[in-house]
Each structure stands twice: as C-alpha cells, then as structure tokens.
Amino acid sequence: MQQLQAKRIVVGITGGIAAYKSIELIRLLRKNNAEVRVVVTHAATEFVTPLTLQAISGNAVSQSLLDPQAELAMGHIELAKWAQAVVIAPASADFLARLTVGMANDLLSTLCLATKAPILIAPAMNQQMFAQTITQQNLAALSARGMAFIGPNSGEQACGDIGVGRMSEPQEIYEALSKLFDQQQDLTYLSVAITAGPTREAIDPVRYISNHSSGKMGFAIAQAFVERGAKVTLITGPVNLITPPNVKRINVISAEEMHQQALQCAIEHQIFIGCAAVADYRVAEVAQQKIKKSGDEISLKLIKNPDIIADVGHLTANRPFTVGFAAETEHIEKYAQDKLQRKKLDMICANDVSGGQVFGQEQNRLHLFWSQGNKRLPLTNKNDLAKQLVNEIITRFKSTP
C-alpha cells in the first residue's frame, strides 16, 4: 500500500495494556514511508516507554501540553497543524469520556480539539467497560462529530474476561488509516435515505413484537455511501450500532413511526433504500397496563402495518430511485421478482434467511433483480458487500431515464 507514503501521522497512545501493540503499528507506518510523531498520555508511559517509541518512530515523543522544545512552546498547536491524520491506539474509556465532553487537560486531548485532520480511534478496554451505556453514548457522540472508529475486537482479554474490548490488530488499524486517504468522493452530488434495523410493535408497556434484524447491513450501506461523499439519512429502528461519521440518524421504534419518517425523507432524496426489517403486523389495541398472566392462552388481534417500500415505490411526485430488500426462507427468486413488480421498485436485493442465517451475522450474500436483469453478489462481510451493492445501485441509477 502506498496511500500513507509521506503522509504526516500523529499516533496517540493512552493508558492500557494494548499500548504494546502500538509499537507494531508505528513500525508498519514507518515501513510504508509515513512520517510519524507520537503523543503519549501520562498513563501510557506506564505501559510503553518514550525511549522505545522514539526509537521506533524516529522522532522525539511528545508528552507535555506546554513543551519548551516545541514551536512557540505550544506543542498542541504545532502538532495539530502538522498532522494529516491522527490515530489514537489504544483509546481508553477514560480518554473517550474526556474527548466526548471536550476536555483539554493533556496534550493528546488538546491536540484532538485543535486539529482539522481526520481522527481514527481504536478503543481498547475491559469488555464490561465497553458495554456500559455511557461508553456507548460517548462512542456515538464522537462518531456523530465525524470521528472514525476501528474495532474493538472480541476475544480473551488481559484480565481474563472474554468479550468485545480488545484493540484491533496493528494491520487492521493500518488498513483503516489508509482508507482515510483513499476514500473516493465521487458521489457528492447524491442524497440517499436508508431504513435499517427492526421495528418494535408494542403489546403493552413492557412487551413488544419484533424480529432478529441487527441493522448491520443498513448501517454498512450508509457508511459505503457516505465514504464516497453522498449525503446520507439513516432511519433506524432500535439497534446497538454506532452511527457512521457524517450520517444523519433518525431513531424510530414502530413501523408507523418509520413509515412517517420514510415518506418524508423519500421525496427529499434521490435514492431510497428500504433495508429495514419492518414488522408486517402490529397489535390492534395496545394495553395501557401490563397484561397479567391468566390462563394457558392469550389472543392478540393483529392488524397490517403500512408497506413502507411499496408506498415509496408508488409515489407520483418527487419519487426517488427505490431499492427494496426481500428476506426470504424459500422460493427466493420468485418472491423477490414478484415484490419488484408489485411494489414498483427499481431494484430489489434478495437474501436467504432460512435457518436464522444473515440476521446478526457479519457476512451476507445478495441476489439483485431489476427489470432488465439480475446479478449475484457472493458471500462476504457486510461492509464489503455494501460497497459492491452501492456500485450496482449507482450503475442502475445512472441508467434510469
């Protein structure tokens, strides 16, 4: 890879056992001819020494907010202007919290506030710390501000726990950093609305009907479009996913809420993609109080929800190029082609969800159908699949009269 040749990169290291991996990351950057400056927090020096980092990076390591050796004794401003990218690996829970609220009480946090360069964050912490609601809120807030994330991975941790929290491997971080300099910005003229995730249809104040959709495919599509410069609005049901940077997110719960937002957004965007797993039915009368258990059976009257993608497809004014999804367990091609025609779609993406596959998984495959043809996209991870899908959508969009 040559994306990072001669690029000026600041590597920020915070306190955590994963700091030892940062040495390999710096080595990879230097091997590929990037210029590297290292900034450490005080806690980071308990895990890796400045002398080691200096030897690997080829530059003095910065630690102090007011470094007398720095230009005008303001190291944060000097480094902020010098950097073409900042990567923080590892990023501890403490550092993420301080960055979220805009604190500038050390060199690294101040640098992040002062730079215009893109920031890539590689979180690393105990799995329970990562799962905490406040940590997830901090991640979401930073993502909404345009900061990029890589990881964390799942596996055994230094403390003996097993779960999500391990810092991504140096090669993964290197590749993610490369993408910051290699993003195509060819779709800046385009606006896209996407629905994602499940909907929840209330039964009473504590129960609801839903499905297994994780929202990962819809979020991956949003990221693939925004990476190429498109303006993206993501209408999502309840999911535990970080919003891709620069994506406008609208949270909804029920199918009716998603329908309202989708119809409004559809006429304001050039492309509409219905990737959400919308509940087909809802309870006719939602109980105002928790339904108490009595007897061996209970009957619920269900009524049909609005068909969001069909309503968008049948718009007569300001109709966007409309792409639907068909999650089927049998007769996939037949059902997908029927929906393509009946709902007046420009394209439909069919996938086989029999046996519980796809939902919540990292991989997927799609069979695309449009009026004049079809194409199979083979099994791969959802991020790569989303990029392939975007290419196909753009091809069909440009050929539409």
Side-chain angles (χ1 to χ4, degrees):
M1 295 184 183
Q2 297 299 314
Q3 294 98 322
L4 300 185
Q5 183 172 354
K7 299 297 184 183
R8 301 187 301 274
I9 298 168
V10 169
V11 175
I13 304 175
T14 71
I17 189 61
Y20 78 91
K21 291 184 179 180
S22 301
I23 297 173
E24 175 62 15
L25 172 62
I26 296 167
R27 190 194 68 81
L28 279 172
L29 293 171
R30 292 277 288 157
K31 181 181 178 181
N32 288 274
N33 299 312
E35 295 182 50
V36 180
R37 300 279 294 273
V38 180
V39 176
V40 294
T41 65
H42 176 73
T45 62
E46 300 294 324
F47 296 91
V48 287
T49 69
L51 185 60
T52 297
L53 298 170
Q54 177 177 309
I56 297 296
S57 68
N59 285 305
V61 174
S62 300
Q63 304 178 59
S64 173
L65 184 58
L66 297 174
D67 185 353
Q69 301 301 316
E71 178 184 340
L72 300 178
M74 290 187 289
H76 59 292
I77 300 300
E78 176 199 6
L79 286 169
K81 292 180 178 179
W82 179 85
Q84 291 178 293
V86 177
V87 56
I88 304 169
S92 65
D94 170 74
F95 184 80
L96 293 173
R98 291 191 287 115
L99 188 60
T100 300
V101 297
M103 292 184 69
N105 57 347
D106 61 13
L107 177 57
L108 184 56
S109 59
T110 308
L111 166 67
C112 290
L113 289 178
T115 190
K116 293 182 179 180
I119 298 175
L120 175 66
I121 299 174
M125 65 197 73
N126 170 266
Q127 56 89 22
Q128 187 58 39
M129 294 173 68
F130 181 74
Q132 286 289 340
T133 300
I134 186 61
T135 301
Q136 292 301 313
Q137 290 174 345
N138 290 340
L139 293 169
L142 294 173
S143 178
R145 295 179 203 167
M147 297 186 190
F149 287 84
I150 174 70
N153 294 338
S154 180
E156 186 175 356
Q157 300 184 300
C159 61
D161 285 1
I162 296 176
V164 178
R166 287 172 56 92
M167 189 177 90
S168 298
E169 296 304 315
Q171 183 65 40
E172 295 175 308
I173 299 172
Y174 175 87
E175 291 173 359
L177 188 58
S178 298
K179 290 178 181 178
L180 292 181
F181 293 100
D182 193 40
Q183 294 174 350
Q184 291 179 284
Q185 295 289 301
D186 60 333
L187 301 180
T188 55
Y189 65 92
L190 196 63
S191 61
V192 184
I194 304 167
T195 65
T199 63
R200 290 179 180 174
E201 311 306 321
I203 297 173
D204 63 20
V206 298
R207 302 181 181 93
Y208 56 83
I209 300 170
S210 191
N211 57 61
H212 295 295
S213 174
S214 66
K216 290 179 180 179
M217 193 70 232
F219 274 63
I221 295 169
Q223 180 169 329
F225 268 110
V226 82
E227 283 180 353
R228 293 174 60 175
K231 175 185 175 183
V232 178
T233 299
L234 182 62
I235 308 165
T236 179
V239 297
N240 186 27
L241 296 172
I242 296 172
T243 310
N246 302 316
V247 169
K248 178 183 178 181
R249 177 171 177 167
I250 300 174
N251 292 313
V252 299
I253 301 294
S254 69
E256 289 186 303
E257 290 175 341
M258 184 172 284
H259 180 265
Q260 178 183 353
Q261 293 292 340
L263 267 292
Q264 180 178 331
C265 288
I267 60 175
E268 300 171 349
H269 293 73
Q270 296 156 280
I271 295 176
F272 182 91
I273 303 172
C275 191
V278 183
D280 293 324
Y281 295 88
R282 67 183 185 275
V283 177
E285 294 187 16
V286 178
Q288 296 303 306
Q289 304 297 331
K290 178 183 176 182
I291 299 173
K292 305 304 291 183
K293 182 168 60 177
S294 61
D296 295 329
E297 296 181 358
I298 185 172
S299 295
L300 297 173
K301 181 181 178 181
L302 302 180
I303 58 176
K304 196 172 184 179
N305 272 323
D307 191 326
I308 296 173
I309 197 69
D311 286 352
V312 173
H314 283 84
L315 286 172
T316 55
N318 299 318
R319 179 188 180 278
F321 182 90
T322 308
V323 180
F325 270 70
E328 305 290 353
T329 59
E330 60 178 353
H331 309 304
I332 297 167
E333 294 185 21
K334 176 184 176 182
Y335 291 156
Q337 289 176 325
D338 173 66
K339 289 180 179 179
L340 177 72
Q341 297 177 5
R342 179 164 44 85
K343 301 186 180 187
K344 294 189 66 175
L345 308 180
D346 297 290
M347 178 187 286
I348 194 163
C349 312
N351 57 353
D352 184 353
V353 297
S354 59
Q357 59 182 325
V358 176
F359 286 131
Q361 304 300 310
E362 300 300 327
Q363 293 186 317
N364 195 4
R365 58 167 61 88
L366 294 172
H367 193 171
L368 313 182
F369 296 90
W370 57 93
S371 61
Q372 302 299 320
N374 70 94
K375 183 174 182 177
R376 293 182 184 274
L377 301 182
L379 184 68
T380 186
N381 71 74
K382 290 181 178 179
N383 288 331
D384 288 342
L385 184 63
K387 293 175 183 178
Q388 295 178 47
L389 177 58
V390 167
N391 288 335
E392 298 301 325
I393 291 173
I394 295 304
T395 298
R396 304 273 79 78
F397 173 73
K398 290 181 176 179
S399 64
T400 301

